[in-house]
Amino acid sequence: MKVVTTIAEVRAAVAEARARGDAVSFVPTMGALHDGHLSLVDAARRLGRYVVMSVFVNPLQFGPNEDLAKYPRDLEGDVERALSRGTSIVFAPSVDEIYGRDRATEIRPLQIAEEWEGASRTGHFAGVLTVVAKLFNIVQPDFAVFGQKDLQQACLIQAMARDLDFSLKVVVEPTVRDSDGLALSSRNQFLSARERKSALALPRALTKVRAAHRAGVRKVAELEHVAEEILSAEQGIELDYLAVVDTRTFKRVRTVAGNAAVIAAIRVGTTRLIDNELLEP
Ligand code: AMP
């Protein structure tokens, strides 16, 4: 069976793969698959022969005023795209299968989650970590693959796996972009042509910051100014946050020393977009 909906079925399939001696890699998603998700499948295949993808729109990570009902869903198309890219099995559980019993536990993140996406979206990361921990325990993979597109999330998951002693390796893969530079996102489909044009200021600004960093600029105020100039010149967007942060703590720094990133979120019409660039030493 290539598509399963119960915990028992996916566990049985993984057990069979393991009995054959296959390493197991895991790609958690909320569906509406695009090339960014599929690039994670490519990475997963390089890591382990048996690739499990989950497709689950996790209600726990949506706030009361967020787009849970509007979140794009296309399980049939997702299954076809995932399998044709080399996914071994798609796990698409119902909300009841994952949260059917009364719940007495959740995973609550500490420092890394305090600001940025964590501040803009109350409870979001507790919802993400709770479902990811559950999925890790259900699938028990050797590798789990996440996208740099959601950098704060990826760093939190790496920290959780370490802190809670999950015996798997969390791998983070680069952001896949459209030819115009916009990071692929299932939310891009909500942008009008005009909004999309405005949204391009985001990758343009972040790329400029990376270039300034590569040219030797280390003062964060200066780096942030480079991006702010580009973003404030664009009429159609509203800046939610822009910051240069240390990727271990997700706190803003004054000077870039070790591993850092420039992270940003904007609103274009009713659509909220996030993006980032790593500023590596
Ligand atoms: P989502 O379905 O949006 O929860 O995303 C599932 C996984 O795909 C997460 O690890 C995301 O970071 C990753 N992802 C989303 N967009 C991209 C992208 N443009 N490039 C690479 N990975 C992505």
Side-chain angles (χ1 to χ4, degrees):
M1 249 186 314
K2 295 279 195 177
V3 188
V4 297
T5 57
T6 67
I7 293 170
E9 286 168 316
V10 73
R11 280 197 167 146
V14 168
E16 247 177 63
R18 282 209 184 285
R20 287 196 300 270
D22 291 352
V24 177
S25 46
F26 178 42
V27 181
T29 80
M30 298 207 299
L33 301 183
H34 50 61
D35 258 335
H37 298 112
L38 297 174
S39 77
L40 304 184
V41 173
D42 297 341
R45 289 179 69 192
R46 292 193 292 271
L47 292 162
R49 189 194 284 265
Y50 195 74
V51 176
V52 182
M53 176 191 280
S54 60
V55 174
F56 179 63
V57 182
N58 174 34
L60 224 57
Q61 71 188 67
F62 288 81
N65 302 317
E66 291 183 3
D67 54 355
L68 174 61
K70 208 176 98 177
Y71 200 84
R73 287 160 218 248
D74 171 24
L75 184 58
E76 218 175 291
D78 287 342
V79 166
E80 204 206 299
R81 279 186 285 274
L83 295 181
S84 63
R85 195 72 164 235
T87 300
S88 314
I89 193 167
V90 176
F91 175 47
S94 65
V95 171
D96 209 45
E97 180 72 5
I98 298 296
Y99 295 121
R101 292 142 299 179
D102 282 342
R103 201 160 46 86
T105 310
E106 71 171 12
I107 310 268
R108 244 194 254 166
L110 301 177
Q111 188 190 38
I112 296 173
E114 280 166 5
E115 292 179 83
W116 325 118
E117 289 308 290
S120 295
R121 307 180 66 186
T122 316
H124 170 67
F125 283 131
V128 170
L129 294 188
T130 301
V131 82
V132 169
K134 282 169 71 69
L135 290 169
F136 281 179
N137 281 327
I138 291 166
V139 177
Q140 300 191 11
D142 302 291
F143 303 95
V145 189
F146 293 85
Q148 183 202 315
K149 163 79 180 7
D150 301 279
L151 186 64
Q152 194 176 6
Q153 165 179 288
C155 292
L156 270 164
I157 290 166
Q158 273 180 325
M160 175 184 78
R162 182 197 63 213
D163 293 346
L164 301 185
D165 307 293
F166 280 97
S167 66
L168 56 87
K169 186 168 186 313
V170 174
V171 175
V172 182
E173 286 291 307
T175 303
V176 176
R177 298 175 183 280
D178 252 327
S179 53
D180 60 7
L182 194 66
L184 296 184
S185 162
S186 42
R187 292 184 171 104
N188 292 353
Q189 60 188 267
F190 300 126
L191 298 172
S192 69
R194 189 139 129 243
E195 288 174 335
R196 186 176 174 109
K197 202 158 159 268
S198 301
L200 292 178
L202 179 59
R204 208 162 57 234
L206 300 181
T207 310
K208 268 273 164 77
V209 173
R210 195 188 56 188
H213 176 262
R214 283 196 179 155
V217 179
R218 291 292 179 272
K219 278 211 183 103
V220 163
E222 241 175 273
L223 290 168
E224 289 175 354
H225 183 70
V226 168
E228 276 154 9
E229 255 189 344
I230 294 170
L231 293 170
S232 61
E234 189 62 53
Q235 296 284 313
I237 63 176
E238 192 190 313
L239 184 61
D240 184 344
Y241 64 76
L242 167 85
V244 173
V245 297
D246 182 318
T247 48
R248 284 163 312 175
T249 58
F250 266 77
K251 294 293 168 201
R252 195 164 171 271
V253 286
R254 276 165 154 246
T255 313
V256 177
N259 281 312
V262 55
I263 59 171
I266 62 168
R267 267 176 216 287
V268 195
T270 55
T271 308
R272 189 169 178 282
L273 301 175
I274 62 170
D275 200 352
N276 67 82
E277 286 284 351
L278 297 176
L279 307 176
E280 283 158 329

